[in-house]
Amino acid sequence: MNAAAGPEWVVREDAGLPVLVALYLRQVLGLRFPEELPMLRGVPAAEAGEFERSPALERQWRAFWEMTVEPQAHPSPVPLDLVDGYDMLIALPTEGFDELRGAIAGHGPEAVAVARRAHERYRAGLGTGSSYRAYASAIAQHERNVGRRAHSFELNVQVLPLTQRGVWWIGSLTVAVTDGLRGDVAAFDSAIAPVIADLA
């Protein structure tokens, strides 16, 4: 794009399989980070006290979550190794992730199945090319409100089947949006407006 064309923005929307798998694991292992993000619908939560969560497991989980949500911003300092049972959806660093690797062993088939079902629902309902119009409308409204063109920005949106309706920042350029909210045009415009205002 040439300079005369002005600022540009990029919004990538998905119900990413790795993110869905990670949230499934977060729930069944009883992990809390990110604390403000609600649970996935239809996935059993770990019983209180069912797992002994070591500081090492919590630390490894946080690093894994960051690498999953924004892999380019959080590259692994060591090579990655695929985890058996996860259909190439999870790769952990070859060093320093033994506790997490042990904790997620055996959860792969169900985690992948749940993620694939959620992803297929997203593709069937929302992932049909209408996303550009939704964001363009919010950006145009922001431009009218501030009286100038939007700055160039990137935004990643993960549309997830969460138990509460809303929008949450889950990375520096990434938000999670409840699928029900994403499907409600008027409510989504209002909910995404503060996110656009932060970036644009």
Side-chain angles (χ1 to χ4, degrees), residues 25-165:
L25 293 171
R26 166 189 180 240
Q27 204 153 318
V28 299
L29 296 178
L31 297 163
R32 299 202 43 92
F33 183 82
E35 288 85 358
E36 65 281 358
L37 195 64
M39 302 276 204
L40 289 175
R41 292 192 307 270
V43 175
E47 296 293 326
E50 184 178 346
F51 294 100
E52 185 64 36
R53 286 178 289 284
S54 70
L57 178 60
E58 297 273 359
R59 187 172 56 254
Q60 291 168 24
W61 166 258
R62 285 175 180 253
F64 165 66
W65 173 252
E66 290 169 349
M67 286 188 289
T68 300
V69 171
E70 292 183 342
Q72 291 180 323
H74 301 280
S76 173
V78 299
L80 298 175
D81 188 29
L82 290 171
V83 178
D84 289 341
Y86 286 91
D87 288 359
M88 300 180 66
L89 295 177
I90 290 188
L92 290 176
T94 54
E95 299 170 16
F97 282 74
D98 293 343
E99 286 86 351
L100 183 58
R101 191 179 295 274
I104 68 175
H107 290 289
E110 183 60 19
V112 170
V114 167
R116 289 198 188 286
R117 286 194 297 270
H119 183 76
E120 286 164 13
R121 280 194 306 274
Y122 163 76
R123 297 291 301 161
L126 294 169
T128 56
S130 62
S131 61
Y132 176 86
R133 286 190 302 279
Y135 298 101
S137 169
I139 291 163
Q141 183 60 49
H142 172 73
E143 290 176 339
R144 285 191 292 276
N145 291 344
V146 298
R148 62 164 173 78
R149 294 279 310 271
H151 299 303
S152 297
F153 71 89
E154 290 185 35
L155 176 64
N156 302 306
V157 180
Q158 292 290 333
V159 181
L160 305 169
L162 302 171
T163 56
Q164 297 172 32
R165 209 166 139 114

